[in-house]
């Protein structure tokens, strides 16, 4: 688990999928994601981010929209257009 922004280069060097989870919408809980992303960027290139949410402060799809908007604000949402 990476909650404090530390990530072992040995353990993470081959990771391309990261599972994101917070106590609320992504960015609304205790996890310091900008610090986590900085640590991720030093050891590997994330190809996929999986966002999990157990608790909702809003309707589920609104919570998802807010989480995606936060990831986009951090530059972590990429879309390919045909």
């Amino acid at each position: 688990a990476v909650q404090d922004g530390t990530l072992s280069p040995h353990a993470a060097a081959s990771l391309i999928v990261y599972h994101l989870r917070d106590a609320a919408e992504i960015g609304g809980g205790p996890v310091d994601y900008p610090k986590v992303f900085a640590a991720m960027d030093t050891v590997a290139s994330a190809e996929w981010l999986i966002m999990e949410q157990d608790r909702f402060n809003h309707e589920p799809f609104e919570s998802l929209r807010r989480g995606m908007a936060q990831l986009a604000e951090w530059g972590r949402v990429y879309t390919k257009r045909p």
Side-chain angles (χ1 to χ4, degrees):
V2 179
Q3 292 187 8
D4 62 358
T6 59
L7 188 62
S8 163
H10 177 72
S14 62
L15 290 177
I16 59 170
V17 177
Y18 289 85
H19 179 179
L20 308 178
R21 183 175 180 192
D22 212 334
E25 284 79 16
I26 296 296
V31 178
D32 184 352
Y33 277 102
K35 193 172 180 181
V36 169
F37 292 139
M40 286 170 39
D41 291 344
T42 64
V43 295
S45 176
E47 293 183 24
W48 291 89
L49 298 176
I50 299 171
M51 182 172 61
E52 177 184 352
Q53 191 165 337
D54 294 332
R55 297 183 203 128
F56 300 96
N57 295 325
H58 307 279
E59 293 294 320
F61 282 107
E62 175 61 16
S63 288
L64 175 62
R65 187 197 67 73
R66 288 172 182 245
M68 292 297 290
Q70 181 61 67
L71 289 172
E73 185 176 312
W74 288 327
R76 297 298 167 161
V77 174
Y78 307 101
T79 59
K80 292 183 180 179
R81 298 180 188 247

